[in-house]
Amino acid sequence: MKNKRGCITAVTIAASDSGGGAGIQADLLTFAAHGLHAATVLVAVTAQDTSRIYSMEPLSPSIIRRQMDAVFPDLRPSAVKIGALYDEARVRAVAAGLERHRARNVVLDPVLAAKGGRRLLVPAAVRALTRELFPLCDLVTPNLPEAESLSGIRIRDDASRRDAARALAAAGAKAVLVKGGHFAGEAVTDLLFDGKSFFEFRGKRRKTRATHGLGCTLSSAIAANLALGSPLKDAVRLGIEYLRAALDRGIFPGRGCGTPGRLRTRAT
Protein backbone atom coordinates (compact mmCIF):
# COMPACT_ATOMS: atom_id res chain seq x y z
CA MET A 1 0.00 0.00 0.00
CA LYS A 2 1.43 3.39 -0.99
CA ASN A 3 1.45 6.21 1.50
CA LYS A 4 0.69 9.81 0.53
CA ARG A 5 4.19 10.18 -0.91
CA GLY A 6 3.95 7.07 -3.05
CA CYS A 7 6.19 4.92 -0.85
CA ILE A 8 5.62 1.15 -0.69
CA THR A 9 6.83 -0.67 2.42
CA ALA A 10 7.70 -4.32 3.02
CA VAL A 11 8.70 -5.72 6.40
CA THR A 12 11.09 -8.52 7.24
CA ILE A 13 10.62 -10.56 10.42
CA ALA A 14 13.82 -12.53 10.95
CA ALA A 15 17.20 -12.79 12.67
CA SER A 16 20.18 -10.52 12.20
CA ASP A 17 23.29 -11.82 10.38
CA SER A 18 26.31 -9.90 11.66
CA GLY A 19 28.18 -10.91 8.50
CA GLY A 20 25.60 -9.17 6.33
CA GLY A 21 24.97 -12.05 3.93
CA ALA A 22 21.65 -13.51 5.09
CA GLY A 23 18.77 -12.82 7.47
CA ILE A 24 17.47 -9.31 7.96
CA GLN A 25 20.46 -7.78 6.18
CA ALA A 26 19.85 -9.78 2.99
CA ASP A 27 16.17 -8.86 3.09
CA LEU A 28 16.89 -5.15 3.50
CA LEU A 29 19.25 -5.16 0.53
CA THR A 30 16.74 -7.04 -1.61
CA PHE A 31 13.83 -4.75 -0.71
CA ALA A 32 15.98 -1.71 -1.48
CA ALA A 33 16.95 -3.18 -4.85
CA HIS A 34 13.24 -3.33 -5.69
CA GLY A 35 12.68 0.29 -4.69
CA LEU A 36 10.81 -0.48 -1.46
CA HIS A 37 11.05 1.05 1.97
CA ALA A 38 12.15 -1.76 4.29
CA ALA A 39 10.92 -2.14 7.86
CA THR A 40 12.17 -4.73 10.31
CA VAL A 41 10.98 -6.86 13.20
CA LEU A 42 14.03 -8.44 14.79
CA VAL A 43 13.57 -11.91 16.30
CA ALA A 44 17.12 -12.92 17.20
CA VAL A 45 20.74 -11.82 16.88
CA THR A 46 23.52 -14.02 15.57
CA ALA A 47 27.28 -13.69 15.83
CA GLN A 48 28.48 -15.02 12.49
CA ASP A 49 30.86 -14.39 9.65
CA THR A 50 31.09 -15.81 6.13
CA SER A 51 32.14 -19.22 7.46
CA ARG A 52 29.92 -20.09 10.43
CA ILE A 53 27.49 -19.06 13.16
CA TYR A 54 29.23 -18.75 16.52
CA SER A 55 26.22 -17.95 18.71
CA MET A 56 22.58 -16.90 18.56
CA GLU A 57 20.40 -15.10 21.10
CA PRO A 58 16.65 -14.52 20.75
CA LEU A 59 14.76 -11.36 21.60
CA SER A 60 11.83 -11.62 23.97
CA PRO A 61 8.34 -12.32 22.60
CA SER A 62 7.20 -9.05 24.17
CA ILE A 63 9.65 -6.91 22.16
CA ILE A 64 8.72 -8.84 19.01
CA ARG A 65 5.09 -7.96 19.70
CA ARG A 66 5.96 -4.32 20.35
CA GLN A 67 7.95 -4.06 17.14
CA MET A 68 5.02 -5.44 15.14
CA ASP A 69 2.59 -3.11 16.92
CA ALA A 70 4.84 -0.18 16.04
CA VAL A 71 5.49 -1.06 12.40
CA PHE A 72 2.18 -2.35 11.06
CA PRO A 73 -0.30 0.42 11.97
CA ASP A 74 2.02 3.24 10.88
CA LEU A 75 3.85 1.87 7.85
CA ARG A 76 1.07 -0.46 6.64
CA PRO A 77 3.42 -2.92 4.86
CA SER A 78 2.29 -4.28 1.52
CA ALA A 79 4.17 -7.55 2.07
CA VAL A 80 5.82 -9.50 4.86
CA LYS A 81 8.83 -11.78 4.62
CA ILE A 82 9.48 -14.15 7.55
CA GLY A 83 12.75 -15.96 8.17
CA ALA A 84 14.36 -17.68 11.17
CA LEU A 85 12.10 -17.65 14.26
CA TYR A 86 14.18 -19.60 16.80
CA ASP A 87 11.52 -21.33 18.91
CA GLU A 88 7.84 -21.89 19.65
CA ALA A 89 7.39 -18.74 21.75
CA ARG A 90 8.69 -16.55 18.92
CA VAL A 91 6.63 -18.41 16.32
CA ARG A 92 3.50 -17.74 18.37
CA ALA A 93 4.37 -14.08 18.93
CA VAL A 94 4.78 -13.55 15.19
CA ALA A 95 1.61 -15.49 14.31
CA ALA A 96 -0.41 -13.46 16.81
CA GLY A 97 0.96 -10.22 15.37
CA LEU A 98 0.12 -11.21 11.81
CA GLU A 99 -3.44 -11.98 12.85
CA ARG A 100 -3.76 -8.84 14.93
CA HIS A 101 -2.67 -6.60 12.08
CA ARG A 102 -4.30 -8.56 9.24
CA ALA A 103 -1.00 -8.87 7.41
CA ARG A 104 -1.12 -9.53 3.68
CA ASN A 105 1.24 -11.00 1.10
CA VAL A 106 3.01 -13.04 3.77
CA VAL A 107 5.99 -15.08 2.51
CA LEU A 108 7.54 -17.57 4.93
CA ASP A 109 11.01 -18.98 4.37
CA PRO A 110 10.79 -21.86 6.90
CA VAL A 111 14.42 -21.78 7.97
CA LEU A 112 15.20 -24.85 10.08
CA ALA A 113 19.01 -24.82 9.99
CA ALA A 114 21.89 -22.78 8.62
CA LYS A 115 24.03 -24.03 5.76
CA GLY A 116 26.66 -25.18 8.27
CA GLY A 117 24.08 -27.27 10.13
CA ARG A 118 23.32 -25.09 13.17
CA ARG A 119 19.63 -25.21 14.11
CA LEU A 120 17.79 -21.92 13.63
CA LEU A 121 14.44 -23.34 14.72
CA VAL A 122 14.38 -25.79 17.61
CA PRO A 123 12.70 -29.11 16.71
CA ALA A 124 9.93 -28.59 19.27
CA ALA A 125 8.78 -25.50 17.36
CA VAL A 126 8.10 -27.24 14.04
CA ARG A 127 4.54 -28.16 14.97
CA ALA A 128 3.76 -24.57 15.97
CA LEU A 129 5.23 -23.37 12.68
CA THR A 130 2.95 -25.58 10.60
CA ARG A 131 -0.16 -25.32 12.76
CA GLU A 132 -0.12 -21.66 13.73
CA LEU A 133 1.90 -19.86 11.07
CA PHE A 134 1.23 -21.75 7.83
CA PRO A 135 -2.48 -20.78 7.72
CA LEU A 136 -1.46 -17.10 7.81
CA CYS A 137 0.97 -17.41 4.88
CA ASP A 138 0.33 -16.70 1.23
CA LEU A 139 3.48 -18.58 0.26
CA VAL A 140 5.89 -20.95 2.02
CA THR A 141 9.31 -21.48 0.36
CA PRO A 142 11.08 -24.59 1.72
CA ASN A 143 14.15 -26.16 0.18
CA LEU A 144 14.11 -29.94 -0.22
CA PRO A 145 15.40 -30.87 3.28
CA GLU A 146 12.94 -28.41 4.84
CA ALA A 147 10.07 -29.76 2.75
CA GLU A 148 10.94 -33.29 3.90
CA SER A 149 11.11 -32.30 7.58
CA LEU A 150 7.90 -30.29 7.49
CA SER A 151 5.83 -32.75 5.44
CA GLY A 152 7.26 -36.03 6.73
CA ILE A 153 7.65 -37.19 3.13
CA ARG A 154 10.95 -38.46 1.80
CA ILE A 155 11.65 -36.58 -1.45
CA ARG A 156 13.58 -38.51 -4.07
CA ASP A 157 11.88 -37.51 -7.32
CA ASP A 158 9.40 -35.08 -8.82
CA ALA A 159 6.37 -37.14 -7.76
CA SER A 160 7.39 -37.18 -4.08
CA ARG A 161 8.20 -33.47 -4.23
CA ARG A 162 4.67 -32.81 -5.47
CA ASP A 163 3.29 -34.96 -2.67
CA ALA A 164 5.25 -32.88 -0.15
CA ALA A 165 3.95 -29.63 -1.67
CA ARG A 166 0.38 -30.91 -1.40
CA ALA A 167 0.95 -31.93 2.22
CA LEU A 168 2.30 -28.50 3.15
CA ALA A 169 -0.64 -26.82 1.44
CA ALA A 170 -2.99 -29.14 3.33
CA ALA A 171 -1.33 -27.90 6.54
CA GLY A 172 -2.71 -24.46 5.74
CA ALA A 173 -0.34 -22.57 3.44
CA LYS A 174 -2.15 -20.97 0.50
CA ALA A 175 0.76 -21.80 -1.82
CA VAL A 176 4.08 -23.65 -1.60
CA LEU A 177 7.31 -23.19 -3.55
CA VAL A 178 9.57 -26.23 -3.13
CA LYS A 179 12.99 -25.11 -4.29
CA GLY A 180 15.03 -27.50 -6.40
CA GLY A 181 18.60 -26.51 -5.67
CA HIS A 182 19.34 -29.69 -3.68
CA PHE A 183 18.49 -31.96 -6.61
CA ALA A 184 21.50 -33.02 -8.68
CA GLY A 185 21.89 -32.05 -12.33
CA GLU A 186 22.80 -29.16 -14.61
CA ALA A 187 19.33 -27.60 -14.31
CA VAL A 188 17.45 -26.35 -11.26
CA THR A 189 13.66 -26.67 -11.26
CA ASP A 190 11.66 -24.83 -8.63
CA LEU A 191 8.11 -26.13 -8.15
CA LEU A 192 5.17 -23.88 -7.24
CA PHE A 193 1.85 -25.32 -6.04
CA ASP A 194 -0.90 -22.73 -5.65
CA GLY A 195 -3.35 -25.12 -4.01
CA LYS A 196 -4.78 -26.24 -7.35
CA SER A 197 -2.08 -26.36 -10.01
CA PHE A 198 1.66 -26.92 -10.30
CA PHE A 199 4.05 -24.60 -12.13
CA GLU A 200 7.72 -25.26 -12.86
CA PHE A 201 10.48 -22.67 -13.15
CA ARG A 202 13.52 -24.18 -14.79
CA GLY A 203 16.96 -22.65 -15.17
CA LYS A 204 20.61 -23.52 -15.61
CA ARG A 205 22.49 -24.27 -12.39
CA ARG A 206 24.93 -21.54 -11.43
CA LYS A 207 28.35 -22.80 -10.37
CA THR A 208 29.37 -20.35 -7.67
CA ARG A 209 30.55 -20.14 -4.07
CA ALA A 210 28.17 -17.22 -3.50
CA THR A 211 25.70 -19.48 -1.73
CA HIS A 212 25.10 -17.71 1.60
CA GLY A 213 21.64 -16.18 1.96
CA LEU A 214 20.07 -17.68 -1.17
CA GLY A 215 16.79 -18.58 0.53
CA CYS A 216 16.55 -15.18 2.23
CA THR A 217 17.20 -13.37 -1.03
CA LEU A 218 14.66 -15.39 -3.00
CA SER A 219 11.85 -15.15 -0.46
CA SER A 220 12.36 -11.42 0.05
CA ALA A 221 12.48 -10.84 -3.73
CA ILE A 222 9.16 -12.67 -4.08
CA ALA A 223 7.68 -10.63 -1.23
CA ALA A 224 8.94 -7.44 -2.86
CA ASN A 225 7.21 -8.29 -6.12
CA LEU A 226 3.99 -9.11 -4.29
CA ALA A 227 4.23 -5.70 -2.60
CA LEU A 228 4.63 -4.10 -6.03
CA GLY A 229 1.39 -5.71 -7.18
CA SER A 230 2.47 -8.79 -9.12
CA PRO A 231 0.21 -11.86 -8.98
CA LEU A 232 1.73 -14.82 -7.13
CA LYS A 233 2.97 -16.76 -10.15
CA ASP A 234 4.60 -13.66 -11.65
CA ALA A 235 6.09 -12.65 -8.29
CA VAL A 236 7.70 -16.09 -7.98
CA ARG A 237 9.04 -15.94 -11.53
CA LEU A 238 10.45 -12.45 -11.02
CA GLY A 239 11.96 -13.45 -7.69
CA ILE A 240 13.71 -16.44 -9.25
CA GLU A 241 14.98 -14.29 -12.12
CA TYR A 242 16.31 -11.74 -9.64
CA LEU A 243 18.17 -14.43 -7.67
CA ARG A 244 19.70 -15.95 -10.81
CA ALA A 245 20.99 -12.55 -11.92
CA ALA A 246 22.29 -11.86 -8.41
CA LEU A 247 24.17 -15.17 -8.41
CA ASP A 248 25.92 -14.13 -11.61
CA ARG A 249 27.22 -11.10 -9.68
CA GLY A 250 28.16 -12.88 -6.47
CA ILE A 251 30.40 -11.05 -4.02
CA PHE A 252 32.96 -12.46 -1.58
CA PRO A 253 33.47 -10.09 1.34
CA GLY A 254 35.19 -12.60 3.64
CA ARG A 255 37.16 -15.82 3.62
CA GLY A 256 34.14 -18.15 3.55
CA CYS A 257 31.06 -18.35 1.35
CA GLY A 258 30.07 -15.45 -0.84
CA THR A 259 26.61 -14.00 -1.15
CA PRO A 260 24.44 -12.99 -4.12
CA GLY A 261 25.22 -9.55 -5.50
CA ARG A 262 22.40 -7.03 -5.24
CA LEU A 263 21.25 -5.26 -8.37
CA ARG A 264 18.52 -2.80 -9.08
CA THR A 265 15.42 -4.07 -10.84
CA ARG A 266 13.33 -2.48 -13.54
CA ALA A 267 10.83 -1.55 -10.84
CA THR A 268 13.32 0.96 -9.47
Side-chain angles (χ1 to χ4, degrees), residues 104-268:
R104 57 202 181 96
N105 293 325
V106 179
V107 178
L108 169 65
D109 182 17
V111 182
L112 302 184
K115 189 177 298 294
R118 184 184 180 107
R119 295 289 305 192
L120 298 178
L121 183 73
V122 299
V126 171
R127 173 176 280 190
L129 191 77
T130 55
R131 287 192 173 184
E132 300 187 31
L133 201 53
F134 272 32
L136 302 174
C137 295
D138 295 279
L139 179 69
V140 178
T141 65
N143 58 30
L144 291 180
E146 291 162 349
E148 285 188 331
S149 295
L150 293 168
S151 69
I153 295 172
R154 188 180 183 189
I155 300 174
R156 291 296 177 265
D157 53 24
D158 184 61
S160 56
R161 179 162 64 155
R162 290 177 181 238
D163 288 341
R166 291 188 188 96
L168 296 179
K174 295 181 181 68
V176 180
L177 177 70
V178 184
K179 296 171 287 190
H182 285 76
F183 273 136
E186 292 298 313
V188 174
T189 302
D190 300 306
L191 181 69
L192 173 65
F193 180 57
D194 67 0
K196 296 180 180 179
S197 303
F198 286 96
F199 305 93
E200 293 185 350
F201 303 88
R202 189 178 182 88
K204 183 179 179 182
R205 186 180 299 276
R206 267 64 174 175
K207 295 181 180 179
T208 177
R209 291 191 301 109
T211 56
H212 184 49
L214 301 191
C216 304
T217 300
L218 176 58
S219 55
S220 55
I222 294 170
N225 282 288
L226 289 172
L228 291 167
S230 293
L232 177 64
K233 183 181 175 183
D234 290 340
V236 170
R237 175 182 57 80
L238 291 168
I240 291 171
E241 290 175 358
Y242 175 83
L243 177 61
R244 290 172 180 166
L247 281 173
D248 290 338
R249 300 186 183 186
I251 60 173
F252 301 88
R255 291 173 291 183
C257 291
T259 190
R262 271 36 181 218
L263 58 156
R264 291 201 172 272
T265 68
R266 293 181 193 174
T268 61

Side-chain angles (χ1 to χ4, degrees), residues 43-56:
V43 173
V45 175
T46 68
Q48 64 178 295
D49 56 21
T50 59
S51 299
R52 58 177 289 197
I53 297 176
Y54 298 94
S55 63
M56 181 175 185

Side-chain angles (χ1 to χ4, degrees), residues 50-112:
T50 59
S51 299
R52 58 177 289 197
I53 297 176
Y54 298 94
S55 63
M56 181 175 185
E57 291 188 9
L59 276 69
S60 69
S62 63
I63 193 61
I64 293 170
R65 174 178 59 80
R66 290 173 181 173
Q67 288 177 85
M68 295 183 76
D69 288 349
V71 166
F72 278 83
D74 182 36
L75 280 71
R76 296 183 295 172
S78 296
V80 181
K81 180 269 164 116
I82 304 172
L85 294 179
Y86 190 76
D87 67 4
E88 185 173 355
R90 279 84 192 164
V91 169
R92 287 180 169 166
V94 170
L98 295 177
E99 283 193 297
R100 190 164 59 251
H101 296 293
R102 299 181 181 179
R104 57 202 181 96
N105 293 325
V106 179
V107 178
L108 169 65
D109 182 17
V111 182
L112 302 184

